Amino acid sequence: MDKDIDFYFDFASPYSYFAAPRLEKIAAAHGRRVRWLPVLVTAMCEATGSPLAPLVQLKWQYVQRDLARSAHAEGLSFRVPPGFPSLLLAPARAMLWIRRAHDDKTATAFARTCLRAYFGDGVDINDAQVLTGIGAALGVDRQALLAGMADSAIKAEFRDATSHAPAKGAFGVPFVIADGEPFWGADRLGQLDTWLGRIRELA
Amino acid sequence: MDKDIDFYFDFASPYSYFAAPRLEKIAAAHGRRVRWLPVLVTAMCEATGSPLAPLVQLKWQYVQRDLARSAHAEGLSFRVPPGFPSLLLAPARAMLWIRRAHDDKTATAFARTCLRAYFGDGVDINDAQVLTGIGAALGVDRQALLAGMADSAIKAEFRDATSHAPAKGAFGVPFVIADGEPFWGADRLGQLDTWLGRIRELA
């Protein structure tokens, strides 16, 4: 079995939402698995000195058009969520706890559902009750999840994941690293597909 | 005849080089013409407070891989030119003078040749002798071009084109505006194609 493909994403990133379904299709087509790695992209951008596009007024006007067109191109429903852009730490912590307490499959399903609920339906995924509801549908105990999200070890795990990502080559989201080869942005998935194909030919 | 498609580019921008041939193909397929508009992207980025990716060390490592993959995807020869990234004012001024003294077709051919020479073959297109040589092959007088590039009115035209671009919605390169609809980046040409097709259906 080949190594997993690392997928750095932020629950607050619409381009992460756009990238995820196609990334999973591409990975599956090449017999590879995707490992979902939540990070806090605002903290990464502060570390590398690059302001996020939605936070620059001139770019935000552009980005709104680009978001609508990109969602349409991926065949995904999309709306700019109320209060966007927000710092979404709670769903990331919840996901990391679910990965520890349950398994990777449940944690990934939780992340997928959160992205769809937030960007597809405008649901507030920073609300603990919403998160425990999504978890409950996947068999996760509500009280245990609430306690897990508040656990200082989980908070530290998320903080460390964000601060260590640049050393692994990831400085934004969505960011994909496959066998050390980096791909930044939903618009690079075509190149990832080409690259995975070449790797298979060489294998 | 529909309005021209505005193509903001920088002679120093490899993604402008990658975008140009495909942009012209897409425009032609929809019966549209491309108007090439040189700008100085470093000045635009300073104005909007966004550092250029090649100037952030962590991103530059990534960008080198992305450049090689992107060139391959477009079927273009590419090398990182000596001294890259450079401020390339001379070819932009030369192009603007050629557009005034000759015509748009000659100016565009000049720009295409410059991009290919710089990114395809590593030729120094900030060298006045190189530029007059490229011009001469298109029927442009060498001495007149040298004088034109040094003309204060041409210098002002280039400076103004750069400073006015953000007000038209362009804040980076390559940047395409078609009937008011903005597309930023070589990776948005697919969306431009879709969009031009929908405009034609509605017409």
Side-chain angles (χ1 to χ4, degrees):
Chain A
M1 179 75 189
D2 288 310
K3 274 184 62 184
D4 289 353
I5 293 172
D6 287 338
F7 171 45
Y8 293 88
F9 74 102
D10 188 320
F11 282 95
S13 154
Y15 295 104
S16 296
Y17 166 63
F18 299 151
R22 192 147 53 98
L23 170 60
E24 296 209 296
K25 267 181 220 145
I26 289 169
H30 294 281
R32 304 286 287 265
R33 267 191 343 183
V34 176
R35 184 156 176 88
W36 290 50
L37 302 167
V39 291
L40 194 67
V41 73
T42 21
M44 290 165 85
C45 287
E46 278 169 22
T48 60
S50 312
L52 280 172
L55 305 180
V56 177
Q57 185 55 34
L58 187 64
K59 293 193 182 176
W60 174 229
Q61 295 168 20
Y62 171 79
V63 167
Q64 288 178 78
R65 305 183 83 103
D66 190 61
L67 289 172
R69 292 191 309 239
S70 298
H72 185 263
E74 299 292 347
L76 294 171
S77 65
F78 174 76
R79 61 172 78 178
V80 176
F84 180 87
S86 302
L87 283 179
L88 299 184
L89 289 84
R93 291 168 177 167
M95 181 195 173
L96 293 177
W97 181 82
I98 292 170
R99 183 174 277 153
R100 279 199 191 189
H102 291 257
D103 51 37
D104 184 62
K105 192 179 163 191
T106 310
T108 301
F110 177 84
R112 271 191 217 105
T113 306
C114 284
L115 285 175
R116 270 200 310 269
Y118 186 54
F119 290 112
D121 304 315
V123 172
D124 178 8
I125 58 166
N126 222 22
D127 183 315
Q129 297 311 312
V130 167
L131 294 174
T132 55
I134 291 172
L138 296 164
V140 177
D141 182 79
R142 291 177 190 258
Q143 291 309 316
L145 177 55
L146 280 177
M149 287 161 56
D151 186 329
S152 62
I154 289 293
K155 290 182 179 179
E157 183 181 338
F158 183 48
R159 203 166 45 238
D160 291 348
T162 294
S163 59
H164 294 158
K168 293 177 180 167
F171 46 79
V173 291
F175 207 106
V176 171
I177 301 182
D179 308 320
E181 186 73 9
F183 299 87
W184 181 26
D187 38 47
R188 288 301 182 273
L189 293 177
Q191 290 191 10
L192 169 71
D193 192 19
T194 301
W195 195 85
L196 290 174
R198 285 164 64 193
I199 289 293
R200 289 172 80 193
E201 280 169 23
L202 296 172
Chain B
M1 179 78 189
D2 289 310
K3 273 184 62 184
D4 288 352
I5 292 172
D6 288 338
F7 172 46
Y8 293 89
F9 75 102
D10 188 320
F11 282 93
S13 154
Y15 295 104
S16 296
Y17 166 63
F18 300 151
R22 190 146 56 98
L23 171 59
E24 295 208 298
K25 267 182 220 143
I26 289 169
H30 294 282
R32 304 288 285 267
R33 269 194 338 188
V34 175
R35 185 157 177 87
W36 290 51
L37 302 166
V39 290
L40 193 68
V41 72
T42 21
M44 290 165 85
C45 287
E46 278 168 21
T48 59
S50 311
L52 282 172
L55 305 180
V56 177
Q57 184 55 32
L58 186 65
K59 291 192 183 176
W60 173 231
Q61 295 169 20
Y62 172 80
V63 167
Q64 289 179 78
R65 304 183 83 103
D66 191 61
L67 289 171
R69 293 191 310 240
S70 298
H72 185 263
E74 299 292 346
L76 294 171
S77 65
F78 174 76
R79 61 171 78 177
V80 176
F84 180 87
S86 303
L87 283 179
L88 299 183
L89 288 84
R93 290 169 178 165
M95 180 194 174
L96 292 177
W97 181 82
I98 293 170
R99 182 175 275 152
R100 279 199 192 188
H102 290 256
D103 51 37
D104 185 61
K105 195 179 161 189
T106 310
T108 302
F110 177 84
R112 271 190 218 106
T113 306
C114 285
L115 285 175
R116 269 200 310 268
Y118 186 54
F119 289 112
D121 303 315
V123 173
D124 178 7
I125 58 166
N126 222 22
D127 182 317
Q129 297 310 314
V130 167
L131 294 174
T132 55
I134 291 172
L138 296 164
V140 176
D141 182 79
R142 289 175 190 259
Q143 291 309 317
L145 178 54
L146 281 177
M149 287 161 58
D151 186 328
S152 62
I154 289 292
K155 290 182 178 178
E157 184 181 337
F158 182 48
R159 203 165 47 236
D160 291 350
T162 294
S163 59
H164 294 157
K168 293 177 181 167
F171 46 79
V173 292
F175 208 106
V176 171
I177 302 182
D179 310 319
E181 188 73 10
F183 300 87
W184 181 26
D187 40 45
R188 288 301 183 272
L189 294 176
Q191 290 190 11
L192 169 71
D193 192 19
T194 301
W195 195 86
L196 290 173
R198 285 164 65 192
I199 289 293
R200 288 172 80 194
E201 282 170 21
L202 295 172

